[in-house]
Every structure is written in structure tokens, then in C-alpha cells.
Amino acid sequence: MAKESDTWIMHGVAEDAPGCIHTVKEAISYINEIGFLPLFRNEIPGFSLEERTVPENWWSDDSLRDPWQWRKIIAGSKKVAYGRFFAGKAGFISLAWFPYFVNYRRDGYDFDALWDDEKASIRQKKIMDLFEEEDELYSFEVKQKAGFGKGGEKNFEGTITRLQMQTYLCIRDFRRKKNKAGREYGMDVAVYSKPEHIWGYESVTLAYSEEPMKSGKRIFRQLMDKYPSATVEQIRKVVGVGPGEEPLKKKTKKSVHYPANLLKALQLDMEALTADQMRGLEFVISQLKESMQDVVRLHYEQVMKLAQIGEQIGLSRCRCSQLHKIAMRKLQNPKCV
């Protein structure tokens, strides 16, 4: 899907093209065959439901032909996991492959352990606490009960997206709201749930017995096998895994790398630093809170603006700016760490 001249253009196939998906049943079969599939077109050519369907059928409100309606049917069927699993964008994962995504993305952490190890934000904690008492919640209920007030839409979207990317939450259904009389009204709303509530803890954590990196390699090899023309960088961007790479959380946990722009910001000369000094810098960075490490890494390694970082990790631009200033002050004066 791309925007051209203020118009959204769908990139699909003709009705009679080989491989065209015509029904929701065919869509589920294809997802199970491939293992996982984004909803919309992305960096990997052909790796999306959009590119396997007829463009004119989208948003026709015909549940028999409209892939936008199919996503609701698929999520509600419980036969496939649905959520924002691919670079923060929506997509599907078969139940056979979901445990490997869980093992790799969670990196061995159930959410409680993630929180105890100070690797989850307070916003994430507030949302996940809601699902200790409820099996499912409408998106607006999650937002209200977790304390995302007026103007907190961006923070909410960033936080709920990150929890889906980490596989702690998924979308189990789309339903309309109900008034006090029990009558439905308005548009369909996403209903969130923990995967464990839908398929059971044992099914979801089936791959916990293997190393997270091994699960990541499985995902990478599957995508390379089904889409051999995809490059490593394309796969890394869409799915978040490359060949032989450790889970992204592990990388964050260890430390931040030292791009030249970070050293310049700290007024350090890379060529003049000794190996011991570099190790000292690595240690100091590793002592920062994870939220500060995230801001520093994304700002200097990926050259992201603070507002963009906020959207990704579920914080306001102002808070990201505060964390950046504190982190730089601590790095310039290690005694403050």
C-alpha cells in the first residue's frame, strides 16, 4: 500500500493471476504454508497479503472478497495469531511458528521477569497488569484503565505496539461497542489479549526449551527458503532477525555500540582512546537504565530524532529529551552513574 497524489494505491494481482488469494480460507492456508505474513506490502517483494490479492476488493466491505474484512475473521477464528508483529505493522503468524517468535522476541523473559529485571517501562507494566484480571479488553478500555488520558494517543499506540512486537499481546478479535442495553453501535474495535489466554501457556511457550537465537535462525531460514530473493537487510528490517544474530533485547542489555557521532557528542577522539578506555565507556553505558540506553542507541546508532524514538518506545518527545540529557551527563561524568 502506497500513497500517490494523496490517494492510497494497493499493489496486488489480477483475479485470474497464478497464486491469487480469493477467499479467507485460502488466506489462512497460505499463512500456514509460509508460516508468517505481513498484511501490507513491505521491503520484501511479494511478502504480504496485499500482493496476493485483488486491489479492487480491498475496503469493499464484502466479507467474502475484502482482505481488510478477512483480518477480522482470521483474528476471531483463533487459527492464526494477528497483531503488529512486523516492524510495528500488522500481520499474521501461524500457530506452528508463533512459539518461535515468542521465544526469540521475548528472549527468555515472561513479562513479570522482564519487569523485575527493569527491562519494561511503567506504561507497559500498567497495560500488562490489566490482563492479570481480564482475559480480553477493547483497545479503548486498555487506554482508559492504564491511564493514557487525553493527548496520550501516541504514547498508547507506541506502548501497545511494542508489547505486540514482543509477543506479550495480540489482537484476538474485532468487535463493535455495546451500549447499556447491550446493543452494538459504531465501528469494529480491536480486542486485545495475552496469547496465553487464547492458546494456553504451554502452547505459546513451546519453544522455550531452545535458545532464543536458534528460534531466530529458524525464522530467518524459513523466510529465505520461501523468499530467496530477500536480502539480509530486508529480512532484518521486516522481521527483526538476521542470520546468527542474538535477540535484539540481548543486544540492548549488553551495551550500546560506539558510533562516531556518539563519541563526538561526548567530545572523545576515537583514535586516541585506548582499549581500556573503550571498555570503560562500555561499562559506564551498561550501567545506565535501559530507557536511557534505548534513547542513546536509537539516537546515535540509528540517527533517529527524539520524537521518533518516543513513538517507538512509548514515551513523549519531552521525556526522551530528558533521558538523553541525563544519559549524556552521566556518560561525561561517570561518577554520577
Side-chain angles (χ1 to χ4, degrees):
M1 181 172 66
K3 198 170 187 179
E4 300 175 9
S5 302
D6 293 325
T7 302
W8 288 107
I9 305 297
M10 302 301 295
H11 296 270
V13 294
E15 187 84 37
D16 58 353
C20 177
I21 295 174
H22 303 91
T23 67
V24 67
K25 185 176 180 180
E26 289 179 1
I28 292 174
S29 295
Y30 185 70
I31 293 164
N32 285 326
E33 175 191 341
I34 298 298
F36 37 93
L37 188 72
L39 183 62
F40 293 119
R41 191 175 71 149
N42 51 75
E43 284 76 7
I44 301 175
F47 183 49
S48 71
L49 184 61
E50 175 186 347
E51 292 160 281
R52 291 272 173 174
T53 53
V54 180
E56 292 77 17
N57 289 344
W58 283 79
W59 295 292
S60 64
D61 287 331
D62 181 348
S63 61
L64 296 179
R65 299 183 303 117
D66 185 354
W68 186 245
Q69 297 295 323
W70 294 353
R71 87 195 199 288
K72 302 177 185 179
I73 298 171
I74 293 173
S77 74
K78 315 297 186 294
K79 295 179 181 179
V80 170
Y82 177 74
R84 295 180 186 178
F85 300 134
F86 302 98
K89 303 297 176 58
F92 312 92
I93 303 176
S94 73
L95 298 187
W97 276 94
F98 193 65
Y100 297 113
F101 275 83
V102 168
N103 190 42
Y104 180 74
R105 295 274 181 85
R106 294 184 184 182
D107 190 19
Y109 286 95
D110 283 335
F111 185 80
D112 287 342
L114 192 75
W115 171 254
D116 291 341
D117 221 8
E118 298 183 348
K119 294 182 177 299
S121 70
I122 186 62
R123 287 190 175 96
Q124 289 177 303
K125 172 68 170 170
K126 288 180 178 180
I127 288 177
M128 293 304 296
D129 280 349
L130 297 176
F131 292 94
E132 292 301 311
E133 299 179 359
E134 302 285 349
D135 284 354
E136 61 179 37
L137 288 166
Y138 284 97
S139 58
F140 67 88
E141 292 178 319
V142 177
K143 182 179 178 182
Q144 292 170 357
K145 293 182 178 182
F148 291 85
K150 186 177 180 180
E153 187 65 33
K154 285 188 176 180
N155 287 335
F156 173 72
E157 289 299 323
T159 305
I160 202 77
T161 294
R162 191 168 187 181
L163 288 170
Q164 291 173 83
M165 285 291 294
Q166 293 172 305
T167 71
Y168 293 117
L169 290 179
C170 65
I171 298 174
R172 71 178 299 165
D173 206 354
F174 289 88
R175 301 180 199 143
R176 298 170 68 190
K177 297 179 183 179
K178 291 184 179 180
N179 59 24
K180 293 181 179 180
R183 295 178 181 174
E184 294 183 340
Y185 69 96
M187 300 177 64
D188 287 327
V189 178
V191 178
Y192 289 101
S193 180
K194 293 171 64 174
E196 290 86 343
H197 287 160
I198 305 173
W199 298 290
Y201 183 82
E202 290 186 3
S203 296
V204 170
T205 61
L206 197 61
Y208 268 18
S209 58
E210 72 177 23
E211 289 294 318
M213 186 165 59
K214 186 174 180 180
S215 292
K217 288 181 179 179
R218 287 180 187 269
I219 296 167
F220 178 84
R221 288 196 299 267
Q222 175 72 356
L223 196 44
M224 282 298 295
D225 180 56
K226 299 297 182 180
Y227 295 88
S229 63
T231 67
V232 172
E233 287 305 315
Q234 287 173 332
I235 294 175
R236 184 182 288 117
K237 186 167 184 179
V238 177
V239 184
V241 59
E245 289 184 348
E246 294 185 357
L248 300 181
K249 287 294 294 181
K250 244 180 208 181
K251 286 186 175 181
T252 302
K253 176 184 176 182
K254 286 181 178 178
S255 65
V256 179
H257 297 297
Y258 315 112
N261 55 359
L262 172 58
L263 296 177
K264 183 178 180 181
L266 295 172
Q267 298 182 336
L268 297 174
D269 184 350
M270 182 182 294
E271 296 181 359
L273 291 176
T274 66
D276 285 341
Q277 288 172 323
M278 289 294 283
R279 283 193 291 271
L281 177 58
E282 178 180 359
F283 174 77
V284 174
I285 291 176
S286 70
Q287 300 307 298
L288 296 174
K289 289 184 177 180
E290 188 192 7
S291 56
M292 293 184 190
Q293 290 190 40
D294 283 345
V295 171
V296 171
R297 174 174 59 82
L298 294 171
H299 189 54
Y300 291 102
E301 281 190 352
Q302 299 187 27
V303 198
M304 292 176 63
K305 295 181 179 179
L306 295 176
Q308 295 173 316
I309 296 171
E311 291 182 5
Q312 179 159 327
I313 66 177
L315 297 175
S316 67
R317 185 201 177 285
C318 181
R319 181 55 180 159
C320 284
S321 178
Q322 291 173 342
L323 290 173
H324 175 257
K325 289 178 181 178
I326 295 171
M328 297 304 288
R329 186 166 65 246
K330 289 179 178 291
L331 294 178
Q332 290 167 338
N333 183 9
K335 291 183 180 180
C336 295
V337 176

